[in-house]
Amino acid sequence: GGATLREKARVVDEAPIGITISDPSQEDNPLVYANETFRELTGYTGSDIVGRNCRFLQGAETRSAPVTKMREAIDAEETVTVELQNYRKDGSEFHNRVTIAPLYDDGDLTSYVGFQYDVTQREQYKEKLELSHNRLKTVPSGVFRTDPTPGGRFEYVNPALVSLLDAESADQLRDERVAEFYVDPEQRGDLMEELRRTDDDKVRGEVQLETVGGEIKDVLVTASLTEDEAGNEHVYKVVQDIADRKEREWALERYERLVTNLPIGVY
């Protein structure tokens, strides 16, 4: 009671990744089959595809190194996975993660099967992340990303936070829990709870942090909750040292007290 040939063919045709089969016995190893997902991914119809080598998806921005790696593996009859900049029929670009594997029948090479997976979104996400990272490097306030657990693990820290906490490097902070830097660790829990309750996209609080060297610093923390593409939650925090502001407030208070106690009006 195994699956019939028709059922197997249907599974391959409707698979959520592109699947192609090529025939190395014909000149230039042309494609002899492409499933529905491959046709949708590339915008080409079956008649556009069959009889052509898969390189027709390449274009101006396709790097030569992964193409060479793929060609050498095919010549050596080895399985290979590469990522290529490919082009659809309408000229639009996509990042294609391609795996090509040889298929044998009684020890003879009969065909190559190709699996194509569109990784464009992942690449765009990586580029965005890189851009954000480069921007955050130059921000004067401490910025970090953490998981939303009570202890909190540093997932990302910018140079200004490393400096604010008197740490030697970002790696040194990654070994610690965020809550350990709070003079009152419950304040972190309170911020997290407030973040879950609020209708705003961020919450603010003045807290005291203790640096690696044991110095106490008054800071203003702004926290926001975000979700990545995989549905994992992350907390972003911006930390500003408010020591100067506190000092100014204290000086003003002292001045006001002094003025209030003077026996004459001050203009």
Side-chain angles (χ1 to χ4, degrees), residues 108-173:
D108 296 323
L109 176 70
T110 56
S111 50
Y112 281 97
V113 62
F115 301 98
Q116 285 84 11
Y117 185 60
D118 185 358
V119 291
T120 308
Q121 275 185 314
R122 191 204 67 197
E123 285 302 307
Q124 287 171 344
Y125 180 67
K126 263 165 63 180
E127 281 166 21
K128 266 191 216 157
L129 215 56
E130 218 167 276
L131 194 65
S132 307
H133 176 66
N134 290 337
R135 281 188 187 145
L136 289 172
K137 264 183 179 169
T138 58
V139 171
S141 303
V143 178
F144 66 99
R145 191 182 83 179
T146 165
D147 59 0
T149 56
R153 195 166 43 85
F154 284 107
E155 295 173 331
Y156 165 82
V157 296
N158 77 332
L161 188 81
V162 174
S163 159
L164 185 85
L165 294 176
D166 295 336
E168 283 170 27
S169 65
D171 286 341
Q172 186 188 5
L173 293 180

Side-chain angles (χ1 to χ4, degrees), residues 54 66 88 93 132-133 170 177 184 199 243 249 251 262:
C54 207
R88 297 185 181 88
E93 302 172 357
S132 307
H133 176 66
R177 291 285 172 264
D184 175 3
D199 293 331
E249 282 174 0
L262 283 178

Side-chain angles (χ1 to χ4, degrees), residues 150-151 178-192 208:
V178 180
E180 286 169 22
F181 288 94
Y182 278 75
V183 171
D184 175 3
E186 279 185 19
Q187 285 186 315
R188 175 182 154 80
D190 294 345
L191 263 177
M192 294 296 99
Q208 286 191 316

Side-chain angles (χ1 to χ4, degrees), residues 3-144:
T4 65
L5 199 58
R6 183 177 289 179
E7 284 169 332
K8 286 177 183 172
R10 197 176 147 207
V11 165
V12 171
D13 206 47
E14 295 177 6
I17 61 167
I19 298 176
T20 54
I21 297 171
S22 68
D23 182 358
S25 70
Q26 294 185 48
E27 193 187 338
D28 205 23
N29 191 15
L31 297 174
V32 293
Y33 166 82
N35 76 340
E36 195 179 317
T37 304
F38 181 85
R39 298 194 297 271
E40 284 172 4
L41 172 64
T42 62
Y44 288 97
T45 63
S47 57
D48 290 328
I49 295 164
V50 170
R52 298 171 77 180
N53 183 289
C54 207
R55 78 173 73 83
F56 72 88
L57 294 176
Q58 295 168 25
E61 296 292 318
T62 306
R63 291 189 307 115
S64 59
V67 173
T68 304
K69 184 182 172 187
M70 185 166 62
R71 194 173 52 239
E72 286 173 354
I74 290 169
D75 290 345
E77 295 182 18
E78 291 171 350
T79 298
V80 63
T81 298
V82 295
E83 289 192 9
L84 299 167
Q85 176 89 296
N86 276 168
Y87 293 81
R88 297 185 181 88
K89 190 175 184 177
D90 66 7
S92 60
E93 302 172 357
F94 68 101
H95 287 273
N96 195 2
R97 184 177 171 83
V98 185
T99 297
I100 293 177
L103 293 181
Y104 298 91
D105 188 16
D106 278 341
D108 296 323
L109 176 70
T110 56
S111 50
Y112 281 97
V113 62
F115 301 98
Q116 285 84 11
Y117 185 60
D118 185 358
V119 291
T120 308
Q121 275 185 314
R122 191 204 67 197
E123 285 302 307
Q124 287 171 344
Y125 180 67
K126 263 165 63 180
E127 281 166 21
K128 266 191 216 157
L129 215 56
E130 218 167 276
L131 194 65
S132 307
H133 176 66
N134 290 337
R135 281 188 187 145
L136 289 172
K137 264 183 179 169
T138 58
V139 171
S141 303
V143 178
F144 66 99

